Amino acid sequence: MARLHLNPSQQAVVQERAPRIVVMAGAGTGKTATTVHHVASLIRDGVCRSQVLMITFTRKAANEMQRRVNRLVDDIPLRKNEGEMTVGTYHAVGIQLLREDPKGFGFSNRTFSIIDDSESLALWKSAYKECGITNGD
């Protein structure tokens, strides 16, 4: 297992076992390294990979975090019926949750669409027009 040398503040985060942790740090301070070591530490302490949710802003960052955690715990075999970690972007994880439990979010089924800004604007303009509302355009 490849481990980085973590400073005392980072080591404190890795060892923390509170249900939620907020880490505020600037660019280049090792937030990702600290996070992946924390998750690897949890898995080493017996947390099932399928209980881990890691969310970030880009697919590239999500893939990198997952790769780094997996590298840190590659010597720990998956338990019987243990799933993988859920690692992704805010949008991807949100969509996954909506598709898994649409009723829990107020949808009647899994058939919904996600639209982009231009589609959203066109729908709003159409709704304004249908309601007789002028928006100054």
Side-chain angles (χ1 to χ4, degrees):
M1 172 179 75
R3 285 186 177 253
L4 296 174
H5 175 71
L6 301 176
N7 67 38
S9 295
Q10 292 167 323
Q11 198 59 252
V13 171
V14 169
Q15 294 169 356
E16 181 60 54
R17 292 299 180 258
R20 286 171 288 289
I21 303 169
V22 175
V23 176
M24 297 174 63
T29 57
K31 293 181 297 295
T32 300
T34 303
T35 301
V36 298
H37 277 78
H38 176 74
V39 170
S41 177
L42 290 171
I43 293 168
R44 288 195 171 284
D45 285 353
V47 172
C48 291
R49 288 169 175 86
S50 57
Q51 293 179 297
V52 173
L53 169 63
M54 298 180 79
I55 302 177
T56 188
F57 293 99
T58 67
R59 276 184 257 166
K60 181 179 178 182
N63 292 338
E64 178 64 13
M65 287 191 322
Q66 186 166 26
R67 185 186 67 74
R68 288 168 68 176
V69 170
N70 286 338
R71 190 175 67 220
L72 288 169
V73 297
D74 65 353
D75 60 323
I76 300 173
L78 284 170
R79 296 183 203 146
K80 185 178 181 179
N81 300 324
E82 179 180 14
E84 292 292 329
M85 297 182 297
T86 299
V87 183
T89 63
Y90 289 94
H91 292 102
V93 171
I95 292 166
Q96 180 180 346
L97 292 172
L98 286 169
R99 297 232 188 268
E100 286 176 6
D101 183 20
K103 290 186 175 143
F105 292 95
F107 292 98
S108 58
N109 57 49
R110 289 185 170 96
T111 57
F112 58 86
S113 297
I114 297 173
I115 60 175
D116 64 19
D117 288 342
S118 64
E119 292 169 315
S120 175
L121 182 60
L123 281 172
W124 279 108
K125 285 183 178 183
S126 175
Y128 283 154
K129 185 176 181 180
E130 194 171 311
C131 293
I133 301 171
T134 58
N135 61 356
D137 290 324

